[in-house]
Amino acid sequence: MIYDTAIVGAGASGLAAAIAAGRAGGRVLLLERLPRAGKKILATGNGRCNLSNRAVLEHPYHNRDFALSALKSFGPAECEAFFRSLGLALREDAEGRVYPRSNTASSVLDALRFGAARAGVTLRCDTHVRSVRRERQGFLLNDDIRARRVILAAGGCAAPAHGSDGSGFALLAPLGHAIVPPKPALVQIRLKSPILPMLKGLRVSAGITLENAEGLPLREAFGEILFTEDGLSGIAAMELSRAAEPGTVAVLDLLPELSAPALAALLAEFARSCPEASPEQLLAGLLPKRIGEAVIKQSGSNKLDHFTKTAKRFAFPVAGTRGFAHAQITAGGAAVSEFCAGTLESRLVPGLYACGELLDIDGGCGGFMLHWAWASGLLAGQSLRQ
């Protein structure tokens, strides 16, 4: 049998592509190397599946200009309409994050699986696609599966336990496509510092800047930061992690609402009001106790101006990240210049499409990457009508 479309990878983008391709007509085969489709979907949003965000069109995706074609075709309203067509109701929180009304990721996966089945898609699990070759009338997969067109939706390298093992890149490279080296993103940052043990488990709301060896800012964020036994977690830290490499420095502003002069003036006021107070007592009214103690230790002095400088630049050398096993997404991937933004078809191999994390597109926390998965999958699947 020759399928009209074969889709490699039954994750978020692959399921969306399969539904769109099935609705467009023709024989559609969806291939998944794990025993079940959509395993990674179940782990998203702490099991609640933050599947979109109201601000996707304004979000600073990496390679945003390329991504906008899919995102404009499938914005927040289209996202809700797509899932309603699958029988799934959504809700939006105060921050613009979109979740299933049931608040469970399993509802999202069930809606996608049932939707694919109703669209006539044939799902074949436990099938690891190891090769894709171009032939005169289409493609040959694994030497025994033929299809006129192929959509690669095999994901990146993040969270390999959930099915993303980087095998999609190994399929694209022999077809002539350049791969931007993948690296972990939205992952915990590892630091080098003797004071980390005294900070473990503490949370702060702070500004954080990742600087290069010359002190120039690479990325900035603000929000919750969690100190771990070997570094930083929390949304703000993870937002910067795609650029966290040895040689960079993570700089925290522990009191971002106060300028350095304002903080110095406040500490001086405290010192005048409480002349017998210890440095720890002076900082206790501004920072959690253990963080104040760490600031004093890192400042190496009992002078107020040193406390001010350290609180505004609580700096740590970066050792790296916790790697793909702990990452939520992949940065890097197939070079977008080799694909048509309006269809996601390869410019090098006619009839070959790619979507989701396989492409060199990445974004931040808050449902932005899942939205890209739906948008790119639907665009690739719908493009087969042309």
Side-chain angles (χ1 to χ4, degrees), residues 330-341:
T330 301
V336 297
S337 61
E338 297 176 348
F339 290 85
C340 175

Side-chain angles (χ1 to χ4, degrees), residues 18-163:
I19 292 169
R23 289 174 173 178
R27 293 183 295 274
V28 179
L29 175 64
L30 178 59
L31 300 162
E32 170 57 45
R33 74 178 186 89
L34 295 181
R36 187 184 179 194
K39 182 177 180 181
K40 192 173 181 180
I41 294 173
L42 297 176
T44 58
N46 293 320
R48 296 186 297 145
C49 195
N50 177 193
L51 55 79
S52 181
N53 192 294
R54 187 59 56 182
V56 291
L57 293 178
E58 295 78 42
H59 187 67
Y61 287 92
H62 178 66
N63 283 325
R64 180 175 180 270
D65 288 346
F66 180 91
L68 275 177
S69 289
L71 297 172
K72 287 180 177 179
S73 297
F74 187 73
E78 290 79 10
C79 175
E80 181 172 5
F82 170 66
F83 281 106
R84 286 179 70 90
S85 77
L86 300 177
L88 184 74
L90 307 181
R91 67 172 183 86
E92 181 180 337
D93 70 9
E95 303 298 321
R97 295 179 292 245
V98 179
Y99 295 87
R101 180 64 183 83
S102 66
N103 220 32
T104 60
S106 59
S107 294
V108 178
L109 179 54
D110 285 343
L112 292 164
R113 290 193 303 109
F114 298 153
R118 289 194 298 270
V121 175
T122 299
L123 172 62
R124 189 185 299 179
C125 293
D126 287 315
T127 304
H128 191 177
V129 177
R130 293 178 172 81
S131 65
V132 176
R133 294 206 304 271
R134 189 74 167 93
E135 296 189 325
R136 188 192 309 182
Q137 294 184 338
F139 297 86
L140 179 64
L141 294 75
N142 280 0
D143 298 323
D144 61 354
I145 301 171
R146 283 185 162 81
R148 294 185 176 88
R149 293 161 297 198
V150 169
I151 299 176
L152 295 180
C157 303
H162 295 142

Side-chain angles (χ1 to χ4, degrees), residues 264-282:
L266 186 58
L267 284 173
E269 178 187 331
F270 288 173
R272 288 193 300 270
S273 300
C274 311
E276 304 301 320
S278 67
E280 290 82 3
Q281 291 170 344
L282 288 176

Side-chain angles (χ1 to χ4, degrees), residues 61-320:
Y61 287 92
H62 178 66
N63 283 325
R64 180 175 180 270
D65 288 346
F66 180 91
L68 275 177
S69 289
L71 297 172
K72 287 180 177 179
S73 297
F74 187 73
E78 290 79 10
C79 175
E80 181 172 5
F82 170 66
F83 281 106
R84 286 179 70 90
S85 77
L86 300 177
L88 184 74
L90 307 181
R91 67 172 183 86
E92 181 180 337
D93 70 9
E95 303 298 321
R97 295 179 292 245
V98 179
Y99 295 87
R101 180 64 183 83
S102 66
N103 220 32
T104 60
S106 59
S107 294
V108 178
L109 179 54
D110 285 343
L112 292 164
R113 290 193 303 109
F114 298 153
R118 289 194 298 270
V121 175
T122 299
L123 172 62
R124 189 185 299 179
C125 293
D126 287 315
T127 304
H128 191 177
V129 177
R130 293 178 172 81
S131 65
V132 176
R133 294 206 304 271
R134 189 74 167 93
E135 296 189 325
R136 188 192 309 182
Q137 294 184 338
F139 297 86
L140 179 64
L141 294 75
N142 280 0
D143 298 323
D144 61 354
I145 301 171
R146 283 185 162 81
R148 294 185 176 88
R149 293 161 297 198
V150 169
I151 299 176
L152 295 180
C157 303
H162 295 142
S164 299
D165 63 351
S167 59
F169 302 134
L171 297 177
L172 271 173
L175 294 167
H177 277 279
I179 306 298
V180 178
K183 56 185 177 180
L186 296 187
V187 64
Q188 299 93 333
I189 298 174
R190 294 189 301 109
L191 304 176
K192 295 182 290 187
S193 173
I195 68 171
L196 283 175
M198 65 190 298
L199 296 170
K200 179 183 176 181
L202 295 178
R203 295 179 184 271
V204 293
S205 183
I208 178 170
T209 302
L210 198 67
E211 297 179 349
N212 64 15
E214 289 73 42
L216 298 176
L218 300 173
R219 296 175 74 88
E220 299 177 345
F222 171 84
E224 183 179 272
I225 295 170
L226 168 66
F227 288 94
T228 67
E229 61 184 9
D230 63 352
L232 302 174
S233 187
I235 291 176
M238 293 170 69
E239 294 276 9
L240 308 189
S241 59
R242 76 180 318 276
E245 299 177 352
T248 58
V249 179
V251 181
L252 278 66
D253 182 349
L254 297 173
L255 295 161
E257 72 277 15
L258 294 174
S259 67
L263 175 57
L266 186 58
L267 284 173
E269 178 187 331
F270 288 173
R272 288 193 300 270
S273 300
C274 311
E276 304 301 320
S278 67
E280 290 82 3
Q281 291 170 344
L282 288 176
L283 288 176
L286 289 168
L287 296 167
K289 180 180 178 181
R290 278 193 286 155
I291 291 181
E293 292 171 349
V295 166
I296 294 169
K297 185 172 183 177
Q298 191 174 101
S299 70
S301 168
N302 283 335
K303 295 182 178 180
L304 293 183
D305 60 333
H306 287 203
F307 299 161
T308 296
K309 181 178 179 180
T310 303
K312 297 295 289 183
R313 280 191 59 84
F314 201 37
F316 300 87
V318 172

